[in-house]
Amino acid sequence: MSARPGSWKLLLNNRLAAIGLGVLALTLLCALAAPILPLMQPDATALADRLMRPFEGGHVLGTDHLGRDLLSRLIWGTRVSIAVGVSATLIAAVFGSAIGLIAGYAGGRTDNWLMRGIDMLMAFPYILLALAIVAVLGPGLLNALYAIALVNIPFFARNIRGVTLGLSRRDFIDAARLSGKGHVRILLTEVLPNVLPIIVITMSTTVGWMILETAGLSFLGLGAQPPQADLGSMLGEGRKLLFNAPHVSLVPGLMIFILVMSINLLGDGVRDILDPRLKSGVLSRPAASTKVERQDTSPLTPGPAGTALDVRDLATEFRLGPEVYKAVGGVSFQLNERECLGLVGESGSGKSVTALSLLGLAPTPPGTITGGRVIYDGRDLLEANLGELRHLRGNRIAYIFQDPLSTLHPLFSVGDQIAEAVRAHHPVSYREAWAKAVRLLDMVRIPNAENRARAYPHQLSGGMRQRVGIAMALANDADILIADEPTTALDVTVQAEVLKLLNHLRADKQAALLFITHDFGVVSELCDRVAVMYAGRIVEMGTTREVLESPAHPYTRKLIACVPVLGQPDRRLDTIEGLPPTMNRLPAGCAFAPRCPHVADSCTKGDMRLEDMGGGHLVRCIRTQEVAA
Ligand code: ADP
Ligand code: MG
C-alpha cells in the first residue's frame, strides 16, 4: 500500500517541472534532429545577405554579419552547448562522486588528503580558475569542457562525501562488512545505491550552470572557435552589433535563457521527487484541514440540552489510488457536558480517525470526510473554515495524543511549548505565559516545575512527557478533551497514575472527555459511558456499568473476556478468532459476522441498525436474544 503516486505522475503534477520538461524535450529534439532538418549550412557565408532581419529573404531568424542563417546556427549551436554542458556534468559527477565516496568511506588520512585537495580547488573563485585553466591549455571547446568539469568536481565531492560519511557508520554497512564483503564491493553495492539519488539531484541542478559557464567561456572567446558556433560564441559575436542588429545577439541570448531555465525547473522537480528527505514530506504533505465532501446532509437541528459535542453519522474515508478505505462509516454519539465517554475497539477500528475528523485533523490527502455532522455550540464543525477550526483547536477542544515523544517538539523546552499553546489563543506576554506554563506543570504534579519547565522532552521520562501533554491540553481550559490512547505508550504503574490525574483534573476543570482506548480495564475505571467500535462503526453504546455487566453485542462480550481480572488468575482469557476486516473490503451486513460465534444467515444481508434496547443501551446486532441465551 503506497500513498505516493508514481514518480512520473508526481513530476507531471508539478506544473513548473512539467513545463521545463516540455520545453527541454522540444529543444533536445530540435538539436538532435539538426542533421536531418531542412536547414541551411550553418557556416555558409553570403556577404550579400548580411544582417537580414527575421523573415527576410527566407531566413526565419535573419542572418548575422557574415550572412549566415541564424536559425541554422542556433540549432547547431544549441547542440554544441548541450553536448558540452552535459559532458562536463558527467565528468564532474564521475570524478567528484568517486572522490566523495572514497573520502567519506575511508575516513581518516585518506579523507583528509582528498578533501584538502578539494579545498584547494575551492579556494579560487571557480570562473577565474576555469579562465586560468583555459589560458594554460589554450582556447578551444574541449579545453573549456575540461576546465568547467574540473572546477565543478568539488561540488560533487563535498556533497557525496557528507552523505557517505553518514552512511558508512550505519549498521547495514557493518553487517555487510561482517558478511565478508570487501571494501570495493561494499562501496559499489551498499553505499553507491544509497547516494545515487543525491548524485542525480546534484547533476540535475548543476547541468544548467555548466551550460551557462561554457557559454561564458565561449562568450569571452575561450571556448568554441570560429567557424564552429555555440550559444556563447554567437552571443559574443552579436554583442558588437547590439544596436544595429539586436536580433543577432537576442536570438542566442533567449535560447540560453530558455535552455537553462527549463533545465533548472526540471532539475528542481527531479530533486523534489528523488530527495529521500522529501519523500514522505513536502510532496504529499497533508492540507491544514481535512477535505469535506458531503453529498446530502440532514438539516442542522439542535441536539438535546447538555450535549457538549453531537456527532451524527460521521463518515471518513481514505482514497489510495483505486482503493477506498472506509475508516469511519457512519459514527454517531453524543458527548455530554462533564461526561467521560470511552471509545473502545481493536487497533485499526477507526477510533483515531473518528477523533481526528472532529476538528478536521485527519490527513488530506488521502483522507476525506464524506458525510455527517459534528455539532459543537450550535454549529456544524464540518462547515467551519480553517480560521474557525484554528480558533477551536487546542482552545475549546484539546487533544492528548498517544506518544508524547512524537507530539512534543524536540528542540524547544517543554515550558516554551506550553507557553506557546497559551499564547496561540490568548494575547498575553511571554512572561505571563511562562508563569502559566509553570503553574500547569505544577498542576499535573511535576515536581520542581520551575526547573523542569526548562527541560527538553528527551530529558523527561515517558510519564512526565505525557503529563506535559496533559498540561498543554489543559492550558486554555478547553470544554472538551480528546485523549487518544494517552497511556498506551507508558508502563502499567505510570499508566495508572496518569489516568488518575487526568480524571481528577477533568473533574476539576469540568471538561468533557472523549477517552479512546483499546483496554476495557481502563474504561471501567474512568468512563461514565462507553461506545464500542468495530470496523469503523459503533456496535454497542451504553453506560459503562450496563455494557460491562450485560454486554449485548458478541464483539463486546469477546472484548471484555480478553481483560484479565486481578485476583482471578485462573480465569480463562478468551481470544477473538480471525482478524478484523480490511476497511476497503467490508463484508455486506454485519462486519463482525465472519468472526461471530452466533452468526446466522440473516447476519450477512442488509444493513444492521443500531437499536435501542432500552435506557440508552444501543446495540448493532440482530441476534441479541440468541447471544443472551
Ligand atoms: P485505531 O482504531 O487503531 O485508532 P485508526 O483510526 O488509526 O485506528 O485507523 C483506522 C483505519 O483507517 C486503519 O485501518 C487504516 O487502514 C486507515 N487509516 C488511518 N490513517 C490513515 C492514513 N493516513 N492513510 C490511509 N489510511 C489510514
Ligand atoms: Mg489509534
Side-chain angles (χ1 to χ4, degrees):
M1 181 170 89
S2 159
R4 250 179 136 240
S7 307
W8 186 244
K9 217 174 138 207
L10 275 182
L11 186 68
L12 296 186
N13 274 348
N14 180 342
R15 197 169 312 149
L16 286 177
I19 293 175
L21 179 67
V23 174
L24 184 65
L26 200 71
T27 318
L28 277 180
L29 207 68
C30 287
L32 285 177
I36 55 168
L37 289 178
L39 294 172
M40 299 181 196
Q41 271 297 318
D43 303 332
T45 55
L47 288 177
D49 297 342
R50 296 178 67 221
L51 296 180
M52 278 188 164
R53 308 258 149 195
F55 300 110
E56 225 177 295
H59 299 284
V60 176
L61 293 178
T63 57
D64 67 1
H65 61 293
L66 295 175
R68 294 175 293 195
D69 180 52
L70 270 182
L71 177 65
S72 161
R73 282 177 76 71
L74 182 75
I75 291 181
W76 283 94
T78 307
R79 200 174 143 96
V80 173
S81 283
I82 293 179
V84 173
V86 171
S87 317
T89 310
L90 282 176
I91 295 175
V94 169
F95 286 98
S97 307
I99 293 173
L101 276 172
I102 294 170
Y105 180 77
R109 195 172 296 169
T110 319
D111 182 25
N112 228 331
W113 277 107
L114 284 174
M115 289 334 277
R116 293 305 79 78
I118 294 294
D119 286 347
M120 263 154 63
L121 274 184
M122 291 196 89
F124 302 96
Y126 65 80
I127 206 75
L128 274 189
L129 186 62
L131 282 174
I133 295 171
V134 180
V136 172
L137 297 177
L141 204 50
L142 209 57
N143 292 343
L145 189 158
Y146 294 146
I148 300 289
L150 189 68
V151 297
N152 277 294
I153 283 180
F155 291 107
F156 285 92
R158 295 193 70 108
N159 236 336
I160 303 305
R161 172 189 173 261
V163 182
T164 311
L165 202 61
L167 281 174
S168 60
R169 312 281 182 274
R170 297 272 288 274
D171 291 346
F172 72 94
I173 301 287
D174 286 341
R177 246 182 234 135
L178 284 176
S179 77
K181 279 190 180 177
H183 291 309
V184 177
R185 271 190 63 199
I186 292 181
L187 262 181
L188 293 184
T189 60
E190 306 285 342
V191 184
L192 184 61
N194 280 298
V195 296
L196 209 51
I198 311 284
I199 298 179
V200 175
I201 291 164
T202 318
M203 279 172 74
S204 65
T205 45
T206 48
V207 65
W209 279 112
M210 302 240 199
I211 290 179
L212 266 186
E213 286 160 16
T214 324
L217 287 183
S218 292
F219 179 82
L220 297 174
L222 298 172
Q225 299 299 312
Q228 189 188 37
D230 75 348
L231 294 175
S233 64
M234 285 175 71
L235 193 63
E237 286 166 8
R239 178 179 53 117
K240 296 163 219 151
L241 306 161
L242 194 57
F243 294 104
N244 301 339
H247 67 278
V248 180
S249 48
L250 264 184
V251 165
L254 271 179
M255 191 65 215
I256 294 177
F257 173 76
I258 291 173
L259 188 60
V260 174
M261 198 68 182
S262 63
I263 289 179
N264 284 349
L265 287 179
L266 179 64
D268 282 353
V270 169
R271 184 203 49 209
D272 287 355
I273 288 166
L274 286 184
D275 193 332
R277 286 161 299 186
L278 297 178
K279 258 208 165 138
S280 53
V282 180
L283 291 175
S284 46
R285 181 169 47 189
S289 70
T290 315
K291 191 163 82 183
V292 179
E293 256 182 30
R294 293 181 296 185
Q295 264 84 36
D296 41 4
T297 43
S298 52
L300 184 60
T301 47
T307 0
L309 192 71
D310 190 357
V311 179
R312 301 181 194 164
D313 280 324
L314 179 70
T316 304
E317 57 189 39
F318 292 98
R319 295 172 187 161
L320 297 170
E323 300 284 352
V324 175
Y325 292 80
K326 297 204 156 103
V328 179
V331 164
S332 306
F333 62 83
Q334 277 146 10
L335 178 64
N336 298 326
E337 283 167 8
R338 292 188 288 280
E339 161 192 61
C340 174
L341 174 65
L343 198 56
V344 194
E346 276 170 295
S347 172
S349 54
K351 308 181 297 291
S352 296
V353 176
T354 305
L356 292 173
S357 301
L358 300 179
L359 278 184
L361 288 167
T364 297
T368 312
I369 294 175
T370 53
R373 286 190 181 279
V374 177
I375 299 163
Y376 168 76
D377 205 9
R379 308 210 29 218
D380 186 357
L381 296 186
L382 300 185
E383 282 164 4
N385 62 31
L386 186 57
E388 293 165 311
L389 284 179
R390 280 224 175 98
H391 170 71
L392 292 174
R393 290 174 182 172
N395 186 23
R396 307 312 329 139
I397 303 179
Y399 283 81
I400 304 165
F401 290 104
Q402 176 171 353
D403 181 7
L405 195 54
S406 60
T407 40
L408 293 175
H409 197 298
L411 299 182
F412 291 96
S413 68
V414 294
D416 269 337
Q417 297 186 53
I418 301 176
E420 192 192 4
V422 175
R423 272 155 62 90
H425 296 287
H426 298 284
V428 296
S429 72
Y430 178 78
R431 190 186 294 268
E432 282 172 70
W434 179 269
K436 171 136 198 202
V438 172
R439 257 181 287 132
L440 283 163
L441 287 178
D442 198 43
M443 193 176 74
V444 293
R445 318 250 167 83
I446 291 190
N448 199 357
E450 191 80 43
N451 282 330
R452 285 301 168 86
R454 273 186 274 279
Y456 291 90
H458 73 272
Q459 295 172 313
L460 302 176
S461 67
M464 290 280 179
R465 282 197 289 264
Q466 195 55 291
R467 284 163 200 259
V468 172
I470 295 174
M472 263 167 115
L474 294 175
N476 296 308
D477 297 324
D479 304 329
I480 299 173
L481 295 174
I482 298 174
D484 190 350
E485 312 218 24
T487 54
T488 311
L490 308 178
D491 68 57
V492 183
T493 45
V494 181
Q495 188 171 343
E497 277 174 42
V498 171
L499 282 179
K500 224 162 75 193
L501 175 73
L502 184 61
N503 200 25
H504 177 77
L505 290 175
R506 170 189 74 86
D508 238 28
K509 298 259 175 191
Q510 309 218 319
L513 175 62
L514 179 63
F515 190 89
I516 297 175
T517 177
H518 58 260
D519 187 348
F520 248 114
V522 173
V523 168
S524 64
E525 281 174 34
L526 200 63
C527 300
D528 308 313
R529 284 193 309 141
V530 55
V532 181
M533 261 188 105
Y534 186 75
R537 311 185 84 177
I538 289 178
V539 294
E540 179 159 6
M541 182 153 65
T543 59
T544 307
R545 224 183 123 159
E546 222 165 9
V547 172
L548 280 178
E549 281 174 9
S550 51
H553 197 283
Y555 177 63
T556 318
R557 292 177 155 243
K558 287 279 190 187
L559 270 188
I560 293 173
C562 296
V563 180
V565 178
L566 211 58
Q568 296 183 17
D570 296 336
R571 195 174 81 112
R572 236 188 106 222
L573 292 186
D574 209 352
T575 55
I576 310 179
E577 303 282 321
L579 291 171
T582 49
M583 302 294 210
N584 54 340
R585 291 197 186 77
L586 288 178
C590 174
F592 188 62
R595 303 166 78 185
C596 181
H598 306 282
V599 64
D601 278 349
S602 49
C603 288
T604 53
K605 294 186 189 77
D607 200 31
M608 301 292 142
R609 301 237 335 255
L610 201 55
E611 303 281 357
D612 197 338
M613 313 224 320
H617 188 175
L618 308 175
V619 181
R620 198 187 292 277
C621 180
I622 49 172
R623 293 178 58 80
T624 40
Q625 249 107 53
E626 290 82 350
V627 175

